[in-house]
């Protein structure tokens, strides 16, 4: 490990890897430090992504566990809403194998010239006159100081690095989705379909997912709001009940827990000498919890902005604001903003109302599926939606 | 801060005696339950928790025993314990 790099990246997830690749490809020195002994493991993710991931990376079939051609949404009363690609535009996707995927993304960064160290943990920030100048790193029983022109915090949901730089990254209790997932086998499922189950009794303020990992195998998991979580009613309790009812013959071959933020993004995702990306910046989708693509996109953008700023010799917050401004007005940024509002609406809905929505969606002409048409028709069948919720009116315009 | 003082003065008039109950609360990590996922780290308002790879640590100096982490842990691996 050198004692000085142009860019130091904390965390070797998809966000950190994409940042490392972008910086190294521009010919600058950079280093990714990852505290775990292996990139990508253990997996803390349901691994579902939309096909737009191919805009960010050339997909390799080895990373893909399953190609998804449609999804089922199961309402609280058991009605099924089928979402097929014909009706949802191009929304096909994949279930990845992140043990392989994350590792290969880091390989891409390494091949471009980025240094990588595993079992190397940032334990605090080096600050000088309010500017971030590097990190203190614990590795192999030693404590070392590593300086950098810019540090990119890609340290995921824990997001401690930005905290050490004086930025409050706390996720409000009601806005953490607390999750448990099993990798299960011996399941009778359609390998090309993902399923989502909704309802207060199934998953309060969240959902249960079954994401196909190929033949007879799937990630079966649950996320519920932190507010709804307590002894006897933890995600694991709900998930075990769901499995007993729906997948009694399945066998569990892996267990993992996790947290996904469903809050607004950080108010500002840069500081002097610092850029924050992916989950660390609270950029996972407030409705679906998906954050892989957002981490990749912001990681890449952060790398590019870091390169430009270093070239001009200005790594101040003001110079790095370009990153913050650009992602906010991107498709991703706008989507996060809209979905946060939609989430607020859905949290208020009682199960009966959800049932009624699904029923009316099932009546729709799916040939002309687009969001505005969907909302207009929904309101036609469920006029209370407009009365209850002013925000929908705005989304209609 | 890992102690919390409750001072009761039932007869202030005389000012002669008071009862002092000291309740120590501390966060207990059940390691055999913890799935080292980091969810608790993200909600701690004080930044008192840290995941050292798979080993969760709590800094008793910064922890204010608010219980938020224990509330949201997906596996129920955290508990605030009282001791008098
Ligand atoms: C249960 C669950 C299901 C999910 N399902 C999906 C899904 O289906 N689709 C989807 O798109 N997203 C999903 N997500 C979200 C997705 O996993 C994240 O959005 C994504 O991993 C974010 O990437 P990242 O690079 O920002 O962070 P991460 O992938 O979390 O990477 C951060 C890395 O930083 C390391 N690190 C942390 N602190 C330090 C430190 N101090 N020093 C060194 N290294 C450090 C960590 O060990 C970690 O490897 C899910 C999340 C959970 C918990
Ligand atoms: S939230 Fe629970 S399972 Fe996850 S790291 Fe914290 S104590 Fe462990
Ligand atoms: S009890 Fe509160 S302050 Fe203490 S570690 Fe948990 S969340 Fe942090």
């Amino acid at each position: 490990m050198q004692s000085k790099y142009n860019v130091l990246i904390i965390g070797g997830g998809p966000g950190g890897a994409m940042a490392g690749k972008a910086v190294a490809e521009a010919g600058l020195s950079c280093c990714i430090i990852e505290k775990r002994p292996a990139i990508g493991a253990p997996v803390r993710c349901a691994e579902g992504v939309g096909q737009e991931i191919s805009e960010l990376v050339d997909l390799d079939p080895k990373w893909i566990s399953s190609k998804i051609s449609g999804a089922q949404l199961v309402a609280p009363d058991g009605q099924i809403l089928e979402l097929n690609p014909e009706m949802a535009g191009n929304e096909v996707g994949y279930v990845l194998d992140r043990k392989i995927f994350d590792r290969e993304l880091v390989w891409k960064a390494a091949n471009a010239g980025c240094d990588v160290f595993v079992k190397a943990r940032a334990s605090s920030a080096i600050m000088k006159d309010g500017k971030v100048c590097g990190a203190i790193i614990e590795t192999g029983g030693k404590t070392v100081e590593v300086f950098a022109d810019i540090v990119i915090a890609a340290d995921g949901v824990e997001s401690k690095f930005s905290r050490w730089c004086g930025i409050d990254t706390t996720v409000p209790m009601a806005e953490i989705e607390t999750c448990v997932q099993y990798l299960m086998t011996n399941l009778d499922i359609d390998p090309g379909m993902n399923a989502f189950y909704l309802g207060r009794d199934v998953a309060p303020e969240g959902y249960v997912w079954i994401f196909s990992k190929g033949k007879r195998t799937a990630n079966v998991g649950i996320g519920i709001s932190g507010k709804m979580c307590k002894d006897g009613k933890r995600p694991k309790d709900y998930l075990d009940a769901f499995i007993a009812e729906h997948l009694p013959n399945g066998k569990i071959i892996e267990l993992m827990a996790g947290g996904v933020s469903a809050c607004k993004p950080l108010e500002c995702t840069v500081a002097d000498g610092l850029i924050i990306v992916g989950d660390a910046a609270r950029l996972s989708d407030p409705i679906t919890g998906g954050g892989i693509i957002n981490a990749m996109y912001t990681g890449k953008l952060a790398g590019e902005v870091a390169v430009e700023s270093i070239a001009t010799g200005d790594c101040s917050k003001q110079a790095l604001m370009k990153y913050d401004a650009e992602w906010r007005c991107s498709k991703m940024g706008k989507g996060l903003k809209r979905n946060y509002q939609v989430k607020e609406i859905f949290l208020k809905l009682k199960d009966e109302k959800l049932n009624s929505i699904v029923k009316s969606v099932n009546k729709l002409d799916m040939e002309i599926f687009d969001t505005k048409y969907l909302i207009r028709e929904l309101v036609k069948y469920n006029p209370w939606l407009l009365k209850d919720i002013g925000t929908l009116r705005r989304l209609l315009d | 801060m890992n102690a919390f003082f409750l001072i009761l003065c039932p007869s202030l008039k005389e000012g002669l005696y008071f009862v002092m109950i000291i309740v120590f609360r501390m966060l207990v990590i059940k390691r055999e339950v913890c799935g080292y996922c980091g969810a608790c780290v993200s909600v701690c308002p004080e930044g008192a928790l840290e995941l050292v790879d798979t080993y969760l640590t709590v800094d008793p100096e910064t922890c204010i025993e608010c219980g938020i982490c224990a509330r949201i842990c997906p596996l129920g691996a955290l508990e605030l314990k009282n001791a008098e």
Side-chain angles (χ1 to χ4, degrees):
Chain A
M1 204 178 294
Q2 295 167 205
S3 57
K4 161 91 209 312
Y5 288 92
N6 290 126
V7 180
L8 174 66
I9 299 157
I10 317 293
M18 292 295 281
K21 180 167 172 279
V23 175
E25 277 172 351
L28 297 190
S29 68
C30 59
C31 176
I32 295 175
I33 57 155
E34 167 55 55
K35 70 177 171 182
R36 297 196 260 175
I39 303 283
V43 173
R44 283 185 208 146
C45 185
E47 306 174 293
V49 287
Q51 57 84 44
E52 67 273 21
I53 190 172
S54 53
E55 291 164 21
L56 289 162
V57 68
D58 290 328
L59 278 183
D60 184 325
K62 347 191 244 294
W63 309 339
I64 297 171
S65 295
S66 228
K67 285 191 180 147
I68 300 305
S69 57
Q72 286 187 331
L73 199 85
V74 184
D77 63 357
Q79 287 179 87
I80 297 174
L81 175 64
E82 298 255 355
L83 301 163
N84 291 317
E86 303 89 84
M87 66 191 225
N90 282 328
E91 287 201 337
V92 271
Y94 308 98
V95 178
L96 298 171
D97 188 335
R98 280 195 65 183
K99 275 181 195 145
I100 302 177
F101 175 75
D102 283 25
R103 191 161 61 188
E104 294 236 358
L105 284 190
V106 170
W107 270 345
K108 282 181 191 291
N111 286 342
C114 183
D115 275 359
V116 181
F117 293 92
V118 293
K119 224 163 167 16
R121 179 178 58 94
S123 61
S124 61
I126 304 174
M127 308 276 292
K128 212 155 118 203
D129 307 326
K131 179 189 178 306
V132 181
C133 305
I136 310 281
I137 295 167
E138 314 281 333
T139 181
K142 289 201 202 83
T143 304
V144 292
E145 287 187 340
V146 175
F147 291 86
D149 299 320
I150 293 179
V151 178
I152 297 182
D155 49 347
V157 74
E158 297 151 47
S159 196
K160 292 281 287 193
F161 192 83
S162 309
R163 238 184 231 271
W164 297 326
C165 301
I167 297 167
D168 185 7
T169 58
T170 311
V171 178
M173 182 171 76
E175 297 197 303
I176 186 89
E177 285 291 304
T178 159
C179 307
V180 169
Q181 175 179 277
Y182 300 131
L183 175 59
M184 294 185 76
T185 187
N186 203 34
L187 303 175
D188 286 318
I189 50 157
D190 176 345
M193 287 285 251
N194 283 345
F196 302 85
Y197 290 74
L198 303 175
R200 300 267 153 189
D201 299 333
V202 180
E205 301 194 1
Y207 63 89
V208 165
W209 62 84
I210 303 180
F211 283 6
S212 158
K213 288 281 280 176
K215 262 199 198 139
R216 302 186 65 72
T217 313
N219 286 329
V220 182
I222 186 171
I224 67 172
S225 156
K227 187 174 87 209
M228 308 306 282
C229 184
K230 48 181 172 271
D231 276 339
K233 289 194 179 305
R234 294 192 186 270
K236 189 172 181 304
D237 303 310
Y238 285 101
L239 185 62
D240 288 341
F242 176 87
I243 287 169
E245 186 182 341
H246 296 271
L247 305 165
N249 299 322
K251 298 206 163 58
I252 296 167
I253 54 177
E254 217 173 278
L255 155 76
M256 67 101 194
V260 185
S261 63
C263 53
K264 289 183 182 159
L266 294 183
E267 230 157 80
C268 181
T269 55
V270 294
D272 288 328
L274 176 73
I275 308 183
I276 314 166
V277 307
D279 275 14
R282 309 308 181 207
L283 297 179
S284 44
D285 187 283
I287 295 183
T288 63
I292 301 171
I293 293 178
N294 297 355
M296 290 172 70
Y297 162 70
T298 50
K300 181 163 180 265
L301 181 64
E304 290 162 358
V305 171
V307 168
E308 278 173 40
S309 305
I310 291 169
T312 60
D314 182 3
C315 302
S316 66
K317 176 174 177 178
Q318 208 181 359
L320 300 179
M321 271 309 281
K322 183 165 185 279
Y323 161 82
D324 191 273
E326 189 160 334
W327 74 251
R328 276 184 214 273
C329 59
S330 71
K331 201 170 129 221
M332 176 203 84
K334 290 185 182 140
L336 286 177
K337 204 166 169 187
R338 183 196 58 227
N339 285 0
Y340 187 82
Q341 294 177 322
V342 176
K343 179 196 88 164
E344 296 284 280
I345 296 174
F346 271 86
L347 285 187
K348 293 195 196 106
L349 291 182
K350 297 249 157 45
D351 278 359
E352 310 82 68
K353 300 210 163 177
L354 261 177
N355 291 334
S356 130
I357 290 183
V358 170
K359 198 157 158 196
S360 48
V361 173
N362 266 331
K363 285 194 215 144
L364 301 188
D365 178 359
M366 290 309 182
E367 298 292 297
I368 43 167
F369 192 94
D370 82 345
T371 320
K372 274 195 184 160
Y373 165 75
L374 177 74
I375 296 179
R376 218 170 275 129
E377 290 296 300
L378 278 178
V379 170
K380 196 162 99 196
Y381 292 111
N382 308 278
W384 48 266
L385 267 174
L386 267 191
K387 230 188 316 127
D388 283 14
I389 306 136
T391 321
L392 260 184
R393 209 186 288 267
R394 263 183 283 131
L395 296 173
L396 263 175
D397 301 331
Chain B
M1 204 200 50
N2 62 359
F4 142 144
F5 299 89
L6 191 65
I7 301 171
L8 304 174
C9 301
S11 73
L12 262 182
K13 197 174 55 187
E14 280 114 51
L16 284 175
Y17 66 94
F18 61 89
V19 182
M20 188 163 88
I21 302 173
I22 305 172
V23 184
F24 287 99
R25 298 182 90 200
M26 58 182 285
L27 187 70
V28 179
I29 304 166
K30 295 180 241 175
R31 305 223 167 261
E32 68 288 10
V33 181
C34 172
Y36 35 89
C37 68
C40 53
V41 179
S42 74
V43 294
C44 173
E46 303 299 315
L49 294 166
E50 195 176 349
L51 254 185
V52 180
D53 189 10
T54 58
Y55 192 87
L56 182 70
T57 59
V58 56
D59 176 7
E61 299 297 311
T62 15
C63 173
I64 54 165
E65 291 87 35
C66 68
I68 295 175
C69 57
R71 177 82 186 272
I72 67 94
C73 171
L75 301 174
L78 298 172
E79 201 182 331
L80 271 182
K81 281 223 165 115
N82 286 348
E84 268 178 44

